[in-house]
Every structure is written in C-alpha cells, then in structure tokens.
Amino acid sequence: MYGGNKHSGFSFSGRASGKCRLLDVMKRENGREAVIFADLNLPDTRSRIIGNSGGAKVVWSRGDSFRAHYSVAGEYYFADFQTNIDGAALAEFTTDANLEGGSGFVCIYPGYTNMDYSSDARVFEVIVPSEQTAVSGGIEEGLNRSMAYADQYSPRGNLHFRNMLSLLKFRLEGDIAGDVHSVRLTTTGQIAGSHAVFWNNGSPGIYPGYFEDSERFSCITLSGDFKPGVDYYIALWPSVTSGLEMTFSDGNGLYTTLQSSKEIVFSRSEIVDFGAIVLGDEFMGDSPVSISTEHELYCGATDGLKPVTVVIIPEGFTLYELPQYERLARMGLDYVFETEPYHSYKDRFNAYILKVASDESGISIKDGNGNVTEKRNTYFGVSRSQSSYEDLDANSTTVSRFVSANCPDILNGIHSIQEVPIIIVANDSRYGGICHFSPDGYSYCIVPHSLAGGRIEWKYPSITTVSEANPSLGYRNTTDEEYQEIGRSTGDWRNLFLHEFSHALGRLQDEYWKTNNSAVTSRIMAQQTYSVPFGLNVSASYETLPWQELLDPREELIQVNPLYGRIGVYQGGANAMYNVWRSEKVSGMIDNRPYFSAWQRYLIVQRIMTLTGDADAFSFDSWLAKDNPVDPIRDGVATRSSFCLESGSVPLYPMTNPPIVIDE
C-alpha cells in the first residue's frame, strides 16, 4: 500500500496495520539534517482534508510540523520536524536534533499546549478548538490532530500517522442555505477542548479529563460563508451522544435549529455523513426572551396514593442552549431509573424537567474565599471556585421560590417544597457535584456536566481501618486483592447525578472516608434526629447498628440470594475513618458506582413509600420481595457508560464534597 521509501538518514514508512517501529535512525553529522518521511496515505490519516468523490483526499501542507517526544537513558527529549512539501500524501520532514539512543517516540501533529511528567506516564495535552473556520470541501489546515508512535530503533519496521478525531460531514440546501454564516453543533458529550495523550509503555492512549483546569466543550461553532451543495466538515473528539442540535445562523442574529434525539457514535478516524441538510425558506426570530417557564414530564406515576415528585432545573443555559439542558436532564434521569432500587419503583415517580433560561451561559466564578470574581447573569446564582470542586452553591431562596411556583405537584397541593428533591444541572464542564439539605426535608443538589461528558474513574480509598470495632488499632493500606474484589468504578457525570440525587431523595450520607474528624459522631447523631432524618445509612455506634435487626441475620438472607453475604460492619464513612460504620464494603455512596448497599436500598424504598403516602404498607418483607442485590461492576452486568476512546487507565478523580446543611 505504501511505496517502500527509504532515505539516507531518518526515515518512516507506513502500512495499514502492524507494530510501528522507527527505521534507520542516524545522528546529525557534518551539519546534515535528520530526515523523516511521514505517510498520510490511509483513509484514516489526515492532515489537510480535501473532499472528492471518494470521500476525502489526504495531504500534507508546506510548513506542517510535528513534535516527536522520546527518552534517552531515562531522560526525556523532543524533536520538532517540518516539511517544505505541499499537497503530498508522503512528505519529507527534517529536524536538526540528535536522535541517537532514543526510544518510545510519541509523535503529535501539530503539537500540544501542556504536558505532565508527574506520574509514571508521559501525558501530553491536545486541544480541539470549539471555534472552527468553514472550508469548502474540507477542514482548515492544522486542525486535524494526528499521532504516530514508534517504540524503538530497528533496521526494519513500519509507522504511519493516524488522526485522533472524528469528522461530521454535511452540506446545506434550501432557500436560506447561502445566507448561513455559522453552524453550531451541540451534543451531550465532550466534542472539543482538552484531551490527553498518555504514554507509559506500548502504544499511547487518548483520554479526556486529565488536565483539570483545561476547558472542555460539548459544542462547536463552524463559521464562514457557506455555499449551497458544498461539503463541509466539523472536526470533533470521538464521543457518543444521545442527541444533538445544530443551529444555523445568518449574519444578523437570525437562526434556525434542527434537533435529533438519536444516539450517534463519533468514532476515531471515521466520518459521520449527515448528507444534505435542507433549511427551508426562512430563519427564526432573533433575540431570545430571558425566561421560559415550560415543563416536561419525564415520567408519570401509575402506582401509589400520590407520586414521588422530583424536579430538574437548569442553570447557566441560555434559551439557545435549553435543548442541550433537556437532553442532559433526560440522560441523568435515564441513568437513575436504570439503577436499583429506582428502576423497580419508577412507576411511583413524577419527574419534571422544568425550563428556565439564563441571560448568560455558564456559572459564576469565585476566588476560593466566597468572593465572586467572574460574574455570570444566571437564574439561580450558581457559583464555584475556579480550581475547586467543593465550593459549589446556589441561591437557595431563588431555587425554592422558582420550584414552588412552577412544579405542578406543588401548585396542586400534592406536595410541599420540603417533599420535592431538586437537581440543578449546571452548564459547567469542571468536575464536581454537591447536595444542600435542611432538617425539614428540603434539599437541592448541583451537578455540573463534568468533563463535558468525558470518562471518569473513582477509586476506593487507599487506606482502611485495621479493625472495625477498635479504632485505636489504626489503619492499613488497601490490598490489591481488595481492589480486585471491589472492581473499578468508571463512568461519567451521570454517576455524579445518581450519587447527588440519592443524597437529596434518599437522605443518604456519604460512606467514603478521608480524615479522623472528631466532631463527626455528634454531627451524625444530630442529623439522624432531624424531623426528616438524614444519614441513617451510617452509624456512630458499633453496638447499636441501625441495620442490625433487619439485616444481621445474614444466613437467612443468603438463602434468598448469596449476594446478601456482602452485608456486615465496616468502619469508615461520612468523610471520617474512625467512629463511623457502614453496612457494606463498597457502594455508590463511596465511589459513585450504579449500586447501593442493601441497607441503602431499604432506606431509599422506605423514603419512596413515605412520600407516596404508603408508609403503612411498607415492610421488610415487601421490600425484600422486590429487591435486586446485583452490583453491575462486581457481578458482570453490562451498563451504559461513557465512550471509551482507547483501552487503559483513566485519570482518577476524588469523591465529591460531603452534603452541606442549609442555614446551619
């Protein structure tokens, strides 16, 4: 497939598959430049893309350059290569670097903006811009991020660049197609911004979310003078979207919008062809109004004396962005009702997606001391620190008043605001999530669209107590065998949605541990005596465990299902290592997995039955008859998860901040 090229100096050749190796590497001698031939002859390798009847012609451009990162005797180096060839699929690149003795060459086109050597891996940041320029029949030069890898010197071998991205291809038709000046693509996953190339041993992998302060976007704007009937491309990070929106605008603020709820997979090195998009004969109006008080019923109760009412509200979404919020809200609720015990009791829920637009997109930024440094004109006043996921709050009064005035089940007297858990979906891509709650039952949680839908992994705490009953014995490191037993919790922002939702509705406390907080015992005991108790899933007493009477006769439960053998007594929870006990080793209140312990499931169902007015009919036997003790991670049940770009490890993220009591 390739032309067997060889050059005196440093040469690359490439094939469609096979292990990649560098060829004939020589140091610079007598002022000669080291030379490399880089191939872009495959359909899935692209620098500059020019459309044709075959789909896309791929060529290098004069001035193109890439950077090769490599190591020599444990030290890291890089070499920049550049070409003067234009319009060729196979081009000669040169560098004046001395490459002798190097290994582990990671070659990135056209480069990176950040890198990290802090871990065993080398990590390079690669950014896809959220603002792109329309090019007839292709994409702008330098936009298509590509990568090649060579493990070591060898007299024989293969190498080719492969692009990291996916392309969306479309053409415009209809009466107003020639008046379009921008096309905005919005999805439910991260399609622009920062990704990381990880290299440790072997071929590098590509993952979102490593550089926490970097921007991530679920939308891309393609701008230019569009011509009817001409192919255009949007370059985007591979992802899976459960819906998308395309907004077509003219130069005077007028726009028209098309939406799809279909799941679409944007895969690496592949083109998703939308074909002809017919726009019709006129644009819509210009300036959006600042507020919309419509609502959507996601699911309606068919069982119980009255429904369990749940409300989702948006923060920092402009009127143009509300369709994106609606898709995110449905994604979060889908995940909740795929998870037990919510799945088995979905017929008792009224879940409302309320709609209200903010004047500005995003949320306000604070300096870490509570002072707003970057103000956004948003409806509920959500703000957070630039670099912290803990300082996340909203105007509680505004939240309460809005929901009271717009939730149908509050307006018709079925529930009070204290009985309606509220989830705020925030238009922010930084990692985070938090719940605020009151003793009387009122609660709201804030869930950003963390990492713009990118992949996230959470790890079980690295230390655990030596003895559940005797805190004075100290702690030990969590063993590899325990990690193997527990499994890896990997997902995306929907796991945070599920976790925070369970704080708000189930009144569950966190069960992870970080420090030995001496005040935690009295705090837990106080919260469990609230008019609507909070944190009954953990115990501040080893002698009187709240789950002991119902769940301690494990042998009887094991006869029902062996998975109930996981019930026991484990020290650690509510952010403290000592003097707090939980009923199972791991659950979604520790590492955000889609699994709740048996005792947590019991408390959630008890709360559901109380809110539906059926508390008298609730019993342990009725709960057990419908209970499903399967953990999808440990028990091998397939669940929906975010799109994985490459196999391998994923950067770990911490557990979110503990729930905060309102006005305490």
Side-chain angles (χ1 to χ4, degrees):
M1 181 175 293
Y2 284 76
N5 293 281
K6 203 161 188 172
H7 193 282
S8 60
F10 181 22
S11 68
F12 278 177
S13 66
R15 293 183 183 173
S17 61
K19 196 170 184 179
C20 298
R21 293 182 183 274
L22 290 171
L23 297 180
D24 306 330
V25 180
M26 298 177 61
K27 65 181 179 180
R28 182 173 181 248
E29 296 179 353
N30 301 322
R32 291 190 306 168
E33 295 178 320
V35 178
I36 177 175
F37 280 95
D39 244 319
L40 286 176
N41 216 19
L42 293 175
D44 67 354
T45 57
R46 308 180 182 97
S47 170
R48 185 171 92 223
I49 298 175
I50 302 173
N52 59 21
S53 59
K57 180 181 179 181
V58 184
V59 296
W60 288 109
S61 296
R62 180 179 292 107
D64 270 344
S65 65
F66 64 84
R67 176 166 288 185
H69 308 267
Y70 60 99
S71 62
V72 179
E75 298 293 330
Y76 295 115
Y77 300 89
F78 67 83
D80 289 323
F81 289 82
Q82 189 171 38
T83 184
N84 289 319
I85 305 298
D86 186 68
L90 175 65
E92 180 183 276
F93 285 75
T94 61
T95 183
D96 60 0
N98 185 343
L99 304 171
E100 186 175 17
S103 63
F105 282 75
V106 180
C107 306
I108 299 175
Y109 168 82
Y112 61 91
T113 57
N114 198 3
M115 66 180 177
D116 181 17
Y117 292 139
S118 63
S119 63
D120 292 337
R122 282 181 280 168
V123 188
F124 311 101
E125 185 176 38
V126 179
I127 296 175
V128 173
S130 62
E131 302 287 336
Q132 300 178 12
T133 300
V135 175
S136 297
I139 59 174
E140 58 185 304
E141 294 183 20
L143 177 58
N144 198 34
R145 286 26 177 161
S146 303
M147 180 173 65
Y149 174 70
D151 54 4
Q152 61 186 15
Y153 294 151
S154 173
R156 298 177 179 85
N158 309 296
L159 180 77
H160 68 264
F161 273 79
R162 184 183 177 207
N163 68 295
M164 305 181 197
L165 307 183
S166 177
L167 293 178
L168 186 157
K169 177 183 177 182
F170 67 94
R171 64 182 184 275
L172 302 180
E173 295 182 357
D175 294 346
I176 61 174
D179 298 323
V180 172
H181 286 270
S182 71
V183 177
R184 179 184 173 100
L185 171 70
T186 304
T187 71
T188 55
Q190 180 184 352
I191 56 174
S194 173
H195 272 52
V197 173
F198 279 74
W199 183 81
N200 185 4
N201 192 11
S203 184
I206 309 168
Y207 305 104
Y210 181 85
F211 295 91
E212 188 171 353
D213 294 336
S214 299
E215 292 186 304
R216 303 165 182 90
F217 302 94
S218 56
C219 60
I220 293 174
T221 300
L222 185 69
S223 300
D225 294 324
F226 291 84
K227 300 176 182 178
V230 174
D231 289 336
Y232 293 93
Y233 295 86
I234 296 175
L236 65 158
W237 282 117
S239 64
V240 175
T241 179
S242 60
L244 58 81
E245 174 186 278
M246 295 185 76
T247 301
F248 308 89
S249 303
D250 70 356
N252 300 312
L254 300 177
Y255 68 97
T256 188
T257 300
L258 299 177
Q259 299 179 27
S260 171
S261 58
K262 180 181 179 181
E263 182 175 280
I264 300 174
V265 179
F266 294 103
S267 298
R268 181 181 177 186
S269 300
E270 292 184 6
I271 297 174
V272 177
D273 191 351
F274 278 21
I277 298 175
V278 181
L279 297 181
D281 57 4
E282 63 180 351
F283 288 99
M284 296 169 55
D286 49 0
S287 300
V289 296
S290 62
I291 180 171
S292 168
T293 56
E294 301 173 355
H295 71 266
E296 172 188 335
L297 181 63
Y298 169 86
C299 64
T302 58
D303 193 11
L305 296 176
K306 56 183 179 179
V308 179
T309 300
V310 175
V311 165
I312 318 296
I313 57 177
E315 172 67 337
F317 293 87
T318 65
L319 189 62
Y320 293 115
E321 296 170 323
L322 282 180
Q324 179 191 10
Y325 150 71
E326 294 171 45
R327 288 190 293 273
L328 294 173
R330 287 192 291 271
M331 287 177 66
L333 289 170
D334 285 347
Y335 200 77
V336 166
F337 289 112
E338 289 171 359
T339 306
E340 295 291 354
Y342 303 111
H343 177 73
S344 293
Y345 290 84
K346 183 179 179 181
D347 58 2
R348 290 180 175 267
F349 280 81
N350 278 357
Y352 293 100
I353 300 174
L354 301 187
K355 306 173 190 178
V356 59
S358 292
D359 289 335
E360 292 186 88
S361 179
I363 62 175
S364 297
I365 307 301
K366 294 183 286 191
D367 60 4
N369 297 313
N371 303 308
V372 174
T373 57
E374 188 176 329
K375 176 70 175 175
R376 293 283 196 281
N377 189 13
T378 61
Y379 199 88
F380 298 106
V382 170
S383 60
R384 67 178 298 171
S385 297
Q386 177 68 44
S387 59
S388 171
Y389 62 91
E390 299 178 351
D391 190 9
L392 186 58
D393 199 2
N395 187 316
S396 178
T397 301
T398 304
V399 171
S400 176
R401 287 176 177 172
F402 176 82
V403 173
S404 296
N406 292 283
C407 174
D409 293 351
I410 294 178
L411 292 172
N412 61 24
I414 294 177
H415 285 299
S416 66
I417 187 66
Q418 288 77 18
E419 297 172 317
V420 177
I422 302 162
I423 301 91
I424 303 172
V425 176
N427 190 10
D428 187 81
S429 65
R430 286 164 297 171
Y431 176 82
I434 201 166
C435 179
H436 297 256
F437 69 98
S438 293
D440 62 3
Y442 172 63
S443 61
Y444 67 89
C445 53
I446 306 170
V447 186
H449 185 208
S450 297
L451 310 189
R455 192 174 179 220
I456 307 172
E457 181 178 332
W458 299 270
K459 191 174 184 180
Y460 188 82
S462 60
I463 55 174
T464 188
T465 54
V466 171
S467 169
E468 288 77 24
N470 191 344
S472 64
L473 294 179
Y475 63 87
R476 61 174 173 79
N477 292 329
T478 304
T479 66
D480 291 339
E481 290 75 15
E482 287 172 315
Y483 282 129
Q484 185 70 23
E485 172 197 346
I486 291 164
R488 293 169 49 184
S489 176
T490 302
D492 54 36
W493 74 281
R494 296 172 299 172
N495 296 67
L496 300 171
F497 189 103
L498 174 67
H499 178 102
E500 302 301 336
F501 178 89
S502 299
H503 281 312
L505 183 135
R507 309 282 286 180
L508 300 181
Q509 181 58 266
D510 286 316
E511 292 193 2
Y512 57 79
W513 55 96
K514 295 179 180 178
T515 60
N516 183 17
N517 186 342
S518 59
V520 72
T521 299
S522 60
R523 174 170 58 82
I524 290 173
M525 295 177 65
Q527 291 176 356
Q528 293 179 348
T529 60
Y530 286 168
S531 57
V532 182
F534 190 92
L536 291 172
N537 56 307
V538 295
S539 176
S541 169
Y542 184 78
E543 289 74 25
T544 56
L545 301 167
W547 60 90
Q548 189 168 18
E549 181 179 351
L550 291 175
L551 302 183
D552 195 37
R554 287 197 306 164
E555 294 306 317
E556 298 176 20
L557 288 172
I558 291 173
Q559 295 301 314
V560 176
N561 191 315
L563 294 178
Y564 289 116
R566 291 167 173 163
I567 300 169
V569 184
Y570 301 90
Q571 188 169 194
N575 205 35
M577 179 177 292
Y578 301 129
N579 301 312
V580 181
W581 289 266
R582 65 193 191 279
S583 62
E584 292 188 25
K585 183 172 289 186
V586 69
S587 74
M589 302 315 292
I590 296 178
D591 66 356
N592 301 318
R593 65 182 57 204
Y595 169 79
F596 296 94
S597 70
W599 182 235
Q600 292 166 359
R601 297 193 302 271
Y602 179 88
L603 293 172
I604 290 171
V605 175
Q606 185 180 55
R607 179 65 175 155
I608 289 172
M609 299 297 282
T610 298
L611 290 171
T612 63
D614 299 306
D616 293 342
F618 175 71
S619 67
F620 177 79
D621 289 337
S622 67
W623 166 78
L624 186 62
K626 293 184 68 172
D627 188 52
N628 182 351
V630 171
D631 177 355
I633 292 177
R634 288 178 289 178
D635 302 324
V637 178
T639 59
R640 293 183 65 185
S641 63
S642 61
F643 186 64
C644 175
L645 302 181
E646 303 284 347
S647 61
S649 61
V650 179
L652 291 170
Y653 277 80
M655 287 68 173
T656 51
N657 208 41
I660 296 176
V661 182
I662 300 172
D663 298 327
E664 181 176 84

